[in-house]
Amino acid sequence: MQNPTARPKRLFSSLAIATALLTIGLIVFGAVVRVTDSGLGCGNQWPLCNGTIFPPLDNLTAWIEWLHRLFALLIGAFGLATLVVAIRAYRHENRIALWATVAAALLYVVQSALGAIVVVLDLPPTSVTLHLGTAMLLLAALLTAALASVYRPARRYARDRFTTLAYIVTALAFVIILTGALVRGSGATLACVDYPLCNGEIFPTGQGQRGQWLLPRHGPCRY
Ligand code: HEM
């Protein structure tokens, strides 16, 4: 007789992989929102867009921002379906797949709330950076769930130096991504006009005001 959880498990793998791929797409689309300066395309309104449900046809930035929200909603539907199937398929075994899906669901809620905060507060760089960081964690949770459903090593491996190094490199890459977003969000992209030095100095001390990066993007001039 066929294992009763075989079908839900297959379905889970497909759903988890599809949700992870869609999330990669949404992350790229988020970058499009940012580089096209469409973050406030719907004004600082959420969930409405400039007071209406659908943006006017001739407002491209509003459409870009609105489609980002709609795309996020689609991922929410996929994520919910993945969670329901994960509970059916992995209630009693392979808890990694189940817990990674639960973590992804929680991160999705946080991410959506951060998206709304980013809009309502006029794109403050710190919140935009958190929005990007949470997107990375959400993707990591979805990829872990998808991977845990298709690959289970036959035995436990002892933690070796290579694994530790891989963890360290991953953590550093996360920091680089966050600081990159902060540089862009705070308008500091050309703060150092030469490389590898920063305006002729190793440490950029005494080169302008500090703390301005906390201001919203459309706040007063920073330099
Ligand atoms: C699963 C859900 C979501 C994911 C994975 C996601 C991901 C992203 C990413 C990766 C960016 C680019 C950030 C950067 O370049 O630093 C971004 C930008 C943005 N997102 Fe989302 N997002 C999600 C949901 C939402 C929601 C629900 C809203 C609004 C209610 C929203 C509003 C925005 C805005 C306004 C920007 C542009 C920020 C700017 O121009 O500085 N996001 N998103």
Side-chain angles (χ1 to χ4, degrees):
M1 205 179 80
Q2 204 196 13
N3 180 346
T5 60
R7 266 191 65 190
K9 280 179 184 162
R10 273 200 305 275
L11 180 61
F12 175 82
S13 298
S14 311
L15 275 172
I17 292 169
T19 313
L21 290 177
L22 282 172
T23 303
I24 293 175
L26 181 58
I27 289 171
V28 174
F29 199 74
V32 172
V33 175
R34 192 161 201 190
V35 296
T36 56
D37 259 333
S38 304
L40 291 178
C42 288
N44 58 0
Q45 291 187 3
W46 184 89
L48 289 181
C49 181
N50 295 319
T52 55
I53 296 178
F54 298 103
L57 282 176
D58 58 352
N59 189 341
L60 183 61
T61 55
W63 273 100
I64 293 173
E65 159 61 352
W66 188 85
L67 284 174
H68 183 65
R69 298 179 186 188
L70 190 70
F71 202 161
L73 210 59
L74 175 74
I75 286 178
F78 267 78
L80 190 63
T82 313
L83 182 64
V84 171
V85 178
I87 293 169
R88 280 190 59 198
Y90 296 116
R91 234 185 357 248
H92 304 298
E93 51 170 315
N94 194 357
R95 286 297 176 90
I96 296 182
L98 179 61
W99 288 122
T101 312
V102 171
L106 294 175
L107 284 165
Y108 174 84
V109 174
V110 173
Q111 177 69 344
S112 300
L114 276 171
I117 289 171
V118 159
V119 169
V120 172
L121 297 184
D122 280 355
L123 318 177
T126 40
S127 305
V128 178
T129 303
L130 277 179
H131 191 62
L132 178 63
T134 311
M136 295 298 124
L137 295 178
L138 172 62
L139 181 61
L142 286 169
L143 289 176
T144 305
L147 200 64
S149 71
V150 289
Y151 172 69
R152 298 203 70 194
R155 63 188 176 86
R156 274 184 92 86
Y157 290 93
R159 185 169 293 179
D160 55 13
R161 282 190 197 160
F162 176 79
T163 316
T164 308
L165 194 63
Y167 281 131
I168 293 172
V169 172
T170 307
L172 287 176
F174 187 56
V175 173
I176 301 265
I177 289 171
L178 293 186
T179 50
L182 204 52
V183 168
R184 164 80 164 89
S186 59
T189 311
L190 290 177
C192 296
V193 291
D194 48 6
Y195 179 87
L197 292 180
C198 180
N199 302 327
E201 292 181 332
I202 296 180
F203 298 108
T205 47
Q207 291 188 14
Q209 294 168 317
R210 263 167 272 174
Q212 295 293 307
W213 51 277
L214 285 168
L215 291 171
R217 179 111 55 91
H218 300 285
C221 181
R222 290 165 189 82
Y223 298 107

